[in-house]
Amino acid sequence: MTTPRDRMRTLIREARLSVRHRGSVPAIVGEVVRNAAEEIRKDDQLFGVVLATALNKLIRDELKRSAESADHAEGLRAEQMEMFPPDARATVEQIGRGEVFVPSRNAFVPLLPSHLQPQEIDEAGKYVIDHGGDCIRRGGLLRRLSRIMQTHRKAA
């Protein structure tokens, strides 16, 4: 028997095949809701997968938004500054975040010496650099592809 997650993947694949734009998340979601909502509601395990996945995304987005919001960061900065050694305070100010994402914890953690080990701070930094580096790499490739395609259009 297949797992609930496998069944969900099947529903998504089927929905992708029946929408015009197979890469459009809203179109695929709409198709799954239209065609499989009843099936998902009746299957407790499948419903659990959908609910957990949706909540994970929504909660992650909310935590990220609150960690990045100016009000949240401002509220922690005074406390942060006092807890770091004087020579680290300018760096903490430049980071400009009240919390940072630590992959090994899979959580946003207050950027305070009492909450993070130096290795976790380094891990959070590496995560941001890796993510940013990948975005820069793909962005550069997309721009290169654009130039290649423009050259081909001019030649045609």
Side-chain angles (χ1 to χ4, degrees):
M1 185 168 167
T2 61
T3 67
R5 194 163 297 279
D6 289 337
R7 293 195 306 275
M8 191 66 232
R9 285 188 187 111
T10 299
L11 292 173
I12 292 168
R13 276 193 301 275
E14 289 171 357
R16 284 188 77 187
L17 292 173
S18 62
V19 296
R20 184 173 185 193
H21 300 288
R22 294 186 177 158
S24 169
V25 173
I28 296 166
V29 168
E31 192 68 16
V32 170
V33 169
R34 274 189 297 284
N35 294 331
E38 194 59 35
E39 180 181 345
I40 292 168
R41 271 193 226 92
K42 288 180 180 178
D43 183 331
D44 289 341
Q45 291 179 328
L46 192 55
F47 182 78
V49 166
V50 172
L51 184 61
T53 303
L55 284 173
N56 185 356
K57 168 81 171 103
L58 292 169
I59 291 168
R60 210 169 163 68
D61 288 351
E62 184 58 32
L63 289 173
K64 184 176 181 183
R65 190 173 11 267
S66 71
E68 292 177 348
S69 75
D71 292 339
H72 184 70
E74 289 296 330
L76 290 177
R77 281 201 188 128
E79 179 184 358
Q80 284 173 308
M81 293 305 122
E82 294 170 7
M83 298 183 90
F84 280 95
D87 61 336
R89 292 177 186 169
T91 302
V92 173
E93 182 66 30
Q94 289 174 348
I95 292 168
R97 296 288 187 264
E99 297 176 340
V100 294
F101 183 73
V102 180
S104 63
R105 293 195 196 184
N106 196 25
F108 284 90
V109 181
L111 184 57
L112 297 169
S114 58
H115 288 71
L116 288 164
Q117 296 296 315
Q119 311 87 282
E120 292 175 316
I121 296 170
D122 187 65
E123 178 187 346
K126 182 179 180 329
Y127 173 80
V128 171
I129 290 168
D130 288 348
H131 183 71
D134 186 50
C135 288
I136 291 167
R137 180 189 64 77
R138 278 184 283 129
L141 290 170
L142 287 165
R143 295 190 76 203
R144 182 187 315 160
L145 178 60
S146 170
R147 289 188 297 276
I148 293 168
M149 297 307 293
Q150 286 174 3
T151 302
H152 283 274
R153 284 202 174 155
K154 287 178 186 174

